DNA sequence: ATAGGGTTAG
């Protein structure tokens, strides 16, 4: 007993390393290596570093990515293996530029790169083609004589493909006699991503051996990138051993075109599904107007024991947003938390959007304020939420906060804040923000002018609104004249209303709604002959106003109301309440 | 070298 424990102490802590070593065990091993001065041994240090990098890149870990950097910095003289390990780790992380920075340090330390270093490094370069860092690496590779290495060449091909420099990629490809299927597939993918699917097809037809990747690249190219699902499907049917990615790619090709029916048919017959297959279909239903089915699928997925991930969660949360089902949304939110599914910025933004649309603005704001890192979309969602729920002032304040924090903005940000101003009739603020738009790097589009027109229109400054439309550098869209027309109805201006209606007619946008508005304008002024004329015009052209509809959730079940349908089982009670409310508001 | 995600008024 005594001897065995003695023996254990004498053994290297590295013996405790195995595939399922936990984070806390790693920390212990790390501490032991330090106290026993074993870190001076580059081999021992590199073993530990590898284990840390492997665990840090697994999705379920709580290890911080910077822990690996810390460990590297504690190694007195890291060997090439350690450098390669950390470069590989960063090249797969969310911030691949770190791989390039680490490589620069490696060179400063005078450590020689080997034929493993370059492929890892080029992987990072390919992920950030705009940095053009791969060009310098290419020169380095030429100097060091790693030019005959398949992995290095494939890395270079992939980098040039992602940079859009197909000619350089092609030259390397043609000049290398030991190219393998990865070389062929990379080049094919490069052509597909540049929109030259015909060139990709030529390669596909002459390549010596096709694997699942080759088929998948072309199926995806025809389907999603070219929108030609027919040809994608022909390839798909022809493919001998379809793998999961191909099925998913084909299904997503249909989904991208809104062809949910064929997508569902494939989904139902596919031999096996993973969380990606479910996400594609759930997302498809969400984007193409069937959030109920999306939620049903999500539920089915859970009951089949498939664990949702953060991307799948976005689909489910968005479905709740669209349905306004706060109960379900809350349930999904707590499900995600209970099951330790990492809520990144995108999921959190989707959640905020869900709480906003389900009417729990306070909770949305709470989540928003608690978020350490926000994206443009996060700010936009919150601002739209405040603006459309009667908190125009708060939306504008949020905008100013964004400005103070120097957060980047896009045209939607400006649209959100201007819309909020329009909603709350904050004319001076809106005008001031509009005038400073270009200072935020956003050039006003028709929608932004629309808000300004709306603002002026609501304030009764109809002629100024008309001037804005006429002076704007972009072509006025129908909605601008529509906005002016609506303002004319509110403020009873027949003259400008007629001008607007005329313009709308020129744009071919004089639908039923315009005639209804016009007849309202005339009616308000007592011009009954004109009103009659409008009514006749409408029935002669068979026009109807768009039918209004609304959806609401009560105690977990969803009720849909269509204007004038009278189909709800409790319509008597409902209309009685509506009647009382209307009276109360008078 | 292949597959999935969040925001747009009236």
């Amino acid at each position: 007993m005594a001897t065995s424990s003695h023996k254990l102490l004498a053994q290297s802590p590295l013996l405790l390393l195995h595939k399922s070593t936990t984070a806390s065990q790693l920390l212990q091993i790390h501490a032991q290596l330090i106290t026993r001065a074993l870190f001076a041994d580059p081999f021992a240090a590199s073993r530990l570093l590898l284990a840390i990098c492997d665990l840090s890149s697994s999705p379920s870990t709580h290890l911080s990515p910077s822990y690996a950097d810390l460990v590297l910095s504690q190694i007195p003289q890291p060997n090439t293996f350690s450098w390669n390990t950390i470069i590989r780790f960063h090249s797969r992380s969310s911030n691949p530029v770190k791989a390039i920075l680490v490589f620069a340090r490696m060179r400063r330390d005078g450590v020689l790169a080997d034929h493993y270093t370059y492929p890892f490094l080029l992987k990072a370069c390919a992920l950030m083609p705009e940095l053009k860092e791969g060009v310098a690496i290419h020169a380095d590779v030429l100097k060091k004589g790693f030019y005959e290495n398949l992995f290095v060449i494939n890395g270079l091909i992939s980098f040039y493909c992602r940079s859009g420099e197909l000619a350089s990629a092609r030259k390397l490809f043609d000049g290398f006699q030991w190219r393998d299927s990865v070389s062929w597939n990379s080049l094919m993918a490069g052509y597909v991503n540049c929109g030259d699917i015909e060139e990709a097809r030529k390669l596909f037809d002459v390549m010596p051996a096709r694997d699942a990747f080759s088929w998948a690249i072309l199926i995806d190219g025809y389907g999603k990138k070219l929108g030609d699902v027919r040809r994608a499907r022909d390839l798909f049917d022809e493919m001998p051993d379809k793998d999961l990615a191909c099925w998913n790619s084909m299904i997503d090709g249909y989904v991208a075109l809104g062809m949910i029916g064929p997508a569902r048919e494939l989904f139902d017959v596919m031999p096996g599904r993973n969380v990606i297959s479910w996400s594609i279909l759930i997302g498809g239903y969400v984007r193409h107007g069937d959030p109920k089915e999306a939620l049903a699928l999500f539920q089915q997925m859970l009951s089949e024991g498939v664990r949702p991930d953060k991307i799948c969660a976005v689909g489910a949360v968005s479905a709740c947003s669209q349905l306004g089902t706060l109960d379900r949304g809350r349930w999904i939110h707590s499900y995600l938390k209970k099951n330790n599914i990492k809520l990144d910025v995108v999921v959190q933004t989707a959640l905020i959007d869900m709480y906003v649309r389900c009417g729990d603005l306070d909770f949305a704001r709470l989540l928003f304020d608690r978020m350490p890192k926000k994206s443009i979309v996060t700010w936009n969602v919150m601002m739209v939420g405040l603006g459309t729920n009667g908190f125009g002032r708060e939306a504008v304040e949020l905008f100013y906060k964004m400005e103070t924090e120097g957060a980047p903005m896009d045209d939607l940000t400006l649209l959100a804040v201007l819309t909020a101003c329009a909603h709350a009739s904050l004319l001076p603020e809106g005008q001031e923000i509009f005038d400073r738009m270009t200072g935020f790097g956003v050039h006003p589009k028709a929608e932004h002018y629309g808000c300004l027109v709306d603002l002026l229109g609501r304030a009764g400054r109809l002629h100024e609104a008309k001037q804005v439309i006429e002076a704007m550098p972009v072509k006025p869209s129908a909605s601008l004249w529509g906005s002016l027309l609506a303002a004319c109805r509110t403020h009873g201006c027949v003259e400008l209303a007629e001008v607007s209606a005329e313009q709308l007619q020129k744009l071919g946008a004089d639908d039923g709604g315009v005639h209804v508005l016009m007849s309202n304008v005339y009616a308000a002024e007592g011009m009954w002959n004109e009103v009659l004329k409008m009514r006749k015009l409408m029935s002669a052209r068979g026009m109807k106003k768009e039918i209004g509809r609304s959806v609401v959730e009560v105690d977990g079940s969803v009720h849909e109301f269509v204007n004038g349908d009278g189909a709800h089982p409790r319509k008597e009670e409902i209309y009685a309440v509506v009647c009382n409310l209307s009276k109360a508001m008078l």
Side-chain angles (χ1 to χ4, degrees), chain A residues 470-488:
Chain A
E470 285 167 344
M472 59 191 264
V474 271
K475 191 177 179 289
S477 62
S479 63
L480 276 167
W481 292 109
S483 171
L484 183 59
L485 176 56
C488 290

Side-chain angles (χ1 to χ4, degrees), chain A residues 11 75 119 168 178 269 325 494 513 516 520 562:
Chain A
Q11 280 170 348
I75 307 175
S168 305
W178 295 293
V269 301
T325 54
V494 176
V516 171
N520 287 344
V562 179

Side-chain angles (χ1 to χ4, degrees), chain A residues 173-190:
Chain A
F173 176 85
D174 287 336
F176 189 62
Q177 54 176 318
W178 295 293
R179 59 199 180 198
D180 67 350
S181 63
V182 176
S183 330
W184 284 89
N185 292 338
S186 306
L187 193 62
M188 261 179 61

Side-chain angles (χ1 to χ4, degrees), chain A residues 69-146:
Chain A
D69 287 320
L70 172 80
V71 171
L72 179 75
S73 70
Q74 289 173 338
I75 307 175
Q77 282 183 316
N79 57 14
T80 301
F81 187 91
S82 287
W83 287 106
N84 288 349
T85 301
I86 196 112
I87 288 173
R88 184 183 67 146
F89 171 62
H90 285 310
S91 77
R92 295 166 173 189
S93 74
S94 55
N95 193 6
V97 75
K98 280 183 153 181
I100 293 167
L101 295 173
V102 169
F103 179 65
R105 256 170 48 215
M106 177 180 179
R107 283 222 288 212
R108 265 205 312 276
D109 281 13
V111 180
L112 282 182
D114 64 10
H115 57 283
Y116 283 102
T117 319
Y118 288 107
F120 297 151
L121 193 56
L122 284 164
K123 171 104 190 155
C125 296
L127 290 172
M128 303 170 297
E130 63 284 351
L131 289 181
K132 298 280 170 213
E133 192 60 31
V135 180
I137 309 292
H138 190 174
D140 207 45
V141 165
L142 282 174
K143 240 184 348 208
K144 302 275 172 58
F146 285 115

Side-chain angles (χ1 to χ4, degrees), chain A residues 348-349 351-352 356 361-383 386 398 401-402 405:
Chain A
Q348 297 212 53
T349 303
L351 281 167
I352 290 174
V356 165
L361 214 61
D362 288 337
F363 196 68
R365 184 62 196 252
L366 193 73
L367 284 182
F368 179 85
D369 287 335
R370 272 201 214 145
M371 269 174 84
K373 277 220 189 322
K374 306 170 178 77
S375 73
I376 294 187
V377 182
T378 318
W379 287 95
N380 291 355
V381 162
M382 195 66 237
M383 221 179 306
L386 290 169
L398 200 62
K401 192 169 173 225
M402 222 178 148
E405 292 189 13

